[in-house]
Amino acid sequence: MKQIKRGMAVILAMLMMALIIPAAAMAAEAELTTEFISVKEADGQIEAVYECGESGAPDRILYAVTKNGQFIWDGIMEAETSGGKQKCILDIPSHSIKRSVYDVVVWAESDMDSGEKAASPVYAFRVTMGNSQGNIQVPRIQQPKQMIVRAPFAYIAGNADMNDPTCYLKSGDIVQVYTDPDDSAVLYVVKGNVSGYMYSRTLVSKVFGYQGAGDDQIVEVALTQLGNVGGAPFWSWYGFGSRVEWCACYVSWCANQCGYIESGRIPKFAACVEGMNWFIERGQWEDRSIEPQPGYIIFFDWDNSGDADHVGIVEYCENGVVHTVEGNTSDSCARRTYPVGSSSIRGYGVPEYK
């Protein structure tokens, strides 16, 4: 549609403040037990099925819809007053919905006697209109990741016109990103005390980068090994009976000293490409253009093959220079430096330290 329904757009700005998750549902007494079970598309309509739960029937059902990352509609539905399993048809004008894929979030809300609002967890799903394949299981939106905005992106806010969007996100902004459990459906963005910007998953790699917190502990451990020659403590700890190329063993050893292998934050790996792929597969990867945080795992590609053939630990980044601690550099543990964006850098693994 060419224009957002102005009244609803104003409501959206208010509703989305509830999505500084779990702000609206942080306190136990203010959380509804309403659970959205499934949705289905039928005859051009979206039907949501929910279980009222112990808190009873909610006062209303709230939802928002996007297509290709652009907000197109939101609404408030009066909920059924009885308990148990209920269903509601999301009131989306038929001229807004065509045969296409839409990302939808939905949650329930009630007014408390204290005057505060209680909200259920927020659920997300993707539906293909005109191609119904039965019920779609609805996952809760998971806890957020901290990410960095790679490039400015315009979206609709307030009562702006679709042809005149307002852009609040700029390069370098650090935001909280909420996705579905598989990182495959929709996401909300929270910047400061403003929230509710929904994008399709296909836009995430273009707009956002994974900006995890740094970690000084692994750096401190790495620095204790400066001057080691030959790497015997590291490759023998890994399980090798004789010397191997030991840069990855060194990184793994440092991670193990911090408990990060046991906690699943960093893998135990002896092949650089294995470690690189572990971070990439989990979406915890940044390219060479960023200014990395201390504790990021830096991977190198000396022969420009696209694979990693060396690895180290970022000590810090300052004035456009990346300072690292590396094992098996001239067969020793030593500090090294590289300009940000160096062609020798393949990219960075970003452990979920915090």
Side-chain angles (χ1 to χ4, degrees), residues 183-307:
D183 286 340
S184 61
V186 303
L187 59 87
Y188 270 87
V189 180
V190 177
K191 176 186 174 185
N193 63 351
V194 182
S195 63
Y197 316 125
M198 186 161 50
Y199 298 88
S200 65
R201 192 65 198 168
T202 55
L203 292 177
V204 176
S205 60
K206 298 178 182 178
V207 179
F208 302 102
Y210 194 96
Q211 181 67 21
D215 179 74
D216 292 328
Q217 183 180 0
I218 193 172
V219 174
E220 291 171 0
V221 170
L223 290 173
T224 66
Q225 302 303 305
L226 289 175
N228 176 283
V229 177
F234 317 118
W235 52 255
S236 61
W237 162 81
Y238 198 95
F240 292 105
S242 59
R243 185 193 182 283
V244 296
E245 298 300 329
W246 50 275
C247 58
C249 295
Y250 168 67
V251 170
S252 295
W253 181 90
C254 293
N256 186 65
Q257 297 300 302
C258 301
Y260 294 150
I261 291 178
E262 182 179 1
S263 64
R265 290 177 171 87
I266 297 176
K268 182 179 181 181
F269 64 103
C272 296
V273 69
E274 178 185 353
M276 178 186 75
N277 289 337
W278 189 92
F279 286 107
I280 291 175
E281 289 167 1
R282 286 160 177 76
Q284 296 172 228
W285 181 259
E286 288 286 3
D287 64 29
R288 66 170 69 97
S289 65
I290 71 160
E291 295 189 358
Q293 299 287 325
Y296 281 19
I297 309 303
I298 181 170
F299 291 87
F300 298 89
D301 180 12
W302 303 122
D303 57 7
N304 294 316
S305 65
D307 289 330

Side-chain angles (χ1 to χ4, degrees), residues 43-350:
D43 299 325
Q45 293 182 316
I46 299 176
E47 178 185 279
V49 178
Y50 61 94
E51 183 74 44
C52 294
E54 295 179 358
S55 59
D59 293 335
R60 49 194 166 271
I61 307 299
L62 300 89
Y63 63 93
V65 184
T66 64
K67 177 182 178 182
N68 296 327
Q70 286 284 6
F71 166 72
I72 64 168
W73 205 263
D74 73 310
I76 305 174
M77 301 295 298
E78 291 298 320
E80 296 287 341
T81 56
S82 59
K85 187 178 296 184
Q86 303 292 335
K87 67 180 180 180
C88 64
I89 302 297
L90 304 187
D91 183 19
I92 306 172
S94 58
H95 66 269
S96 298
I97 299 295
K98 299 178 181 178
R99 187 183 179 90
S100 188
V101 176
Y102 293 84
D103 293 325
V104 185
V105 294
V106 61
W107 70 102
E109 191 177 86
S110 288
D111 296 320
M112 306 289 286
D113 292 338
S114 63
E116 297 179 350
K117 288 183 173 61
S120 75
V122 180
Y123 295 78
F125 59 91
R126 173 166 287 179
V127 61
T128 302
M129 302 301 296
N131 187 28
S132 178
Q133 297 181 359
N135 287 352
I136 302 169
Q137 296 305 305
V138 185
R140 293 187 183 192
I141 290 182
Q142 66 179 359
Q143 290 300 304
K145 298 179 177 70
Q146 182 170 282
M147 304 185 83
I148 188 169
V149 178
R150 294 183 186 275
F153 191 77
Y155 55 81
I156 304 303
N159 59 358
D161 188 280
M162 288 286 281
N163 296 317
D164 184 26
T166 303
C167 180
Y168 285 89
L169 303 183
K170 63 182 185 298
S171 297
D173 279 350
I174 304 299
V175 294
Q176 299 297 314
V177 173
Y178 296 83
T179 70
D180 80 318
D182 297 321
D183 286 340
S184 61
V186 303
L187 59 87
Y188 270 87
V189 180
V190 177
K191 176 186 174 185
N193 63 351
V194 182
S195 63
Y197 316 125
M198 186 161 50
Y199 298 88
S200 65
R201 192 65 198 168
T202 55
L203 292 177
V204 176
S205 60
K206 298 178 182 178
V207 179
F208 302 102
Y210 194 96
Q211 181 67 21
D215 179 74
D216 292 328
Q217 183 180 0
I218 193 172
V219 174
E220 291 171 0
V221 170
L223 290 173
T224 66
Q225 302 303 305
L226 289 175
N228 176 283
V229 177
F234 317 118
W235 52 255
S236 61
W237 162 81
Y238 198 95
F240 292 105
S242 59
R243 185 193 182 283
V244 296
E245 298 300 329
W246 50 275
C247 58
C249 295
Y250 168 67
V251 170
S252 295
W253 181 90
C254 293
N256 186 65
Q257 297 300 302
C258 301
Y260 294 150
I261 291 178
E262 182 179 1
S263 64
R265 290 177 171 87
I266 297 176
K268 182 179 181 181
F269 64 103
C272 296
V273 69
E274 178 185 353
M276 178 186 75
N277 289 337
W278 189 92
F279 286 107
I280 291 175
E281 289 167 1
R282 286 160 177 76
Q284 296 172 228
W285 181 259
E286 288 286 3
D287 64 29
R288 66 170 69 97
S289 65
I290 71 160
E291 295 189 358
Q293 299 287 325
Y296 281 19
I297 309 303
I298 181 170
F299 291 87
F300 298 89
D301 180 12
W302 303 122
D303 57 7
N304 294 316
S305 65
D307 289 330
D309 41 37
H310 184 58
V311 65
I313 298 169
V314 174
E315 183 179 2
Y316 63 96
C317 182
E318 186 176 76
N319 298 324
V321 178
V322 182
H323 297 254
T324 66
V325 188
E326 301 168 28
N328 198 28
T329 177
S330 299
D331 201 33
S332 67
C333 293
R335 285 182 163 112
R336 294 286 184 262
T337 60
Y338 308 86
V340 169
S342 168
S343 60
S344 298
I345 301 173
R346 175 65 176 82
Y348 300 92
V350 184

